Amino acid sequence: MDSIERLPNRELIAGGPLSRAFMAVGLKTFRDACHYVHRMPYGYNSTKDDPLILFAEGFGSCTTKHMAIGVLAKEMELPVGKCIGIYPMKERFVAGADRICSEFGLTAIPVVHCFLVYDRFRVDLTEGNLNGKKGPIDNFLFTRNVPPDISSRDEYRLYRQALQDEVLTQPDWADVTLKTILAAREKALALLKTNMQQQQAAA
């Protein structure tokens, strides 16, 4: 992933709800807003569908952090978008992933991650957060640019469709069923939450 400094910078103007919210906390530029969101504690919000939830709850997840900045970029007419990726969760990314892989007979668990895209750059506003992972995600089975405020329901539909059309058609996944992946995913998400809580408790 690339540095926030690779993103375009422009002075914030009260052009919409996100612009006004970032200005209300004293921020001046788009990059200031990106750094602000990056520094926010990592956590699972009460909703994934409100780009202002970060300000109400004081923390955010991969989904909500990139939604907020993606919507801000849209308000400012900046060419910065949100991208959905499916990465192969393995032990190198998430401690304990190998146990789940063994249970379901998988070499990895396809799990959603998201980030910002600008030109040829990719920026992850959760990189370095205590988010349950060991480090940055740098390998994807599938990526697609999406509206910054894509609903959690539509994101899940895209995930399932991508599994069927893009992942399970690959030779390494030829003998794996969608049902198996979805069951493994549930345990993988629970593992991420547990790891996040342990990382934050130890900090």
Side-chain angles (χ1 to χ4, degrees), residues 119-130:
D119 194 18
R120 67 184 185 279
F121 303 112
R122 293 176 169 182
V123 177
D124 182 356
L125 298 177
T126 67
E127 189 171 307
N129 290 173
L130 301 176

Side-chain angles (χ1 to χ4, degrees), residues 109-110 159 163 168 173 176-185:
I109 309 149
Y159 168 70
L163 289 176
L168 296 180
W173 302 87
V176 180
T177 67
L178 179 62
K179 182 178 179 180
T180 297
I181 291 180
L182 295 178
R185 169 186 174 271

Side-chain angles (χ1 to χ4, degrees), residues 43-195:
Y44 298 104
N45 299 103
S46 56
T47 177
K48 296 180 179 180
D49 296 326
D50 179 3
L52 290 166
I53 196 66
L54 303 180
F55 297 93
E57 298 183 348
F59 59 86
S61 68
C62 170
T63 298
T64 55
K65 286 191 175 194
H66 295 104
M67 173 186 287
I69 292 297
V71 173
L72 174 64
K74 186 176 181 180
E75 288 181 3
M76 297 178 67
E77 298 184 353
L78 291 174
V80 177
K82 179 178 175 180
C83 188
I84 295 294
I86 298 177
Y87 74 98
M89 183 192 285
K90 302 179 182 181
E91 196 73 17
R92 63 172 287 208
F93 295 126
V94 178
D98 278 359
R99 295 194 304 271
I100 299 174
C101 290
S102 296
E103 179 181 349
F104 289 92
L106 301 172
T107 57
I109 309 149
V111 177
V112 166
H113 189 57
C114 56
F115 49 91
L116 300 175
V117 288
Y118 167 64
D119 194 18
R120 67 184 185 279
F121 303 112
R122 293 176 169 182
V123 177
D124 182 356
L125 298 177
T126 67
E127 189 171 307
N129 290 173
L130 301 176
N131 56 18
K133 301 181 180 72
K134 293 182 178 181
I137 304 300
D138 54 11
N139 179 34
F140 292 93
L141 302 167
F142 165 87
T143 60
R144 178 171 295 173
N145 293 348
V146 295
D149 55 352
I150 184 173
S151 70
S152 53
R153 177 179 294 182
D154 286 344
E155 180 182 300
Y156 181 67
R157 286 175 177 166
L158 173 59
Y159 168 70
R160 286 183 58 120
Q161 196 64 49
L163 289 176
Q164 292 177 315
D165 296 345
E166 305 290 340
V167 177
L168 296 180
T169 56
Q170 298 177 19
D172 289 347
W173 302 87
D175 298 324
V176 180
T177 67
L178 179 62
K179 182 178 179 180
T180 297
I181 291 180
L182 295 178
R185 169 186 174 271
E186 290 303 311
K187 293 203 171 186
L189 295 180
L191 174 64
L192 276 170
K193 185 173 183 178
T194 297
N195 287 1

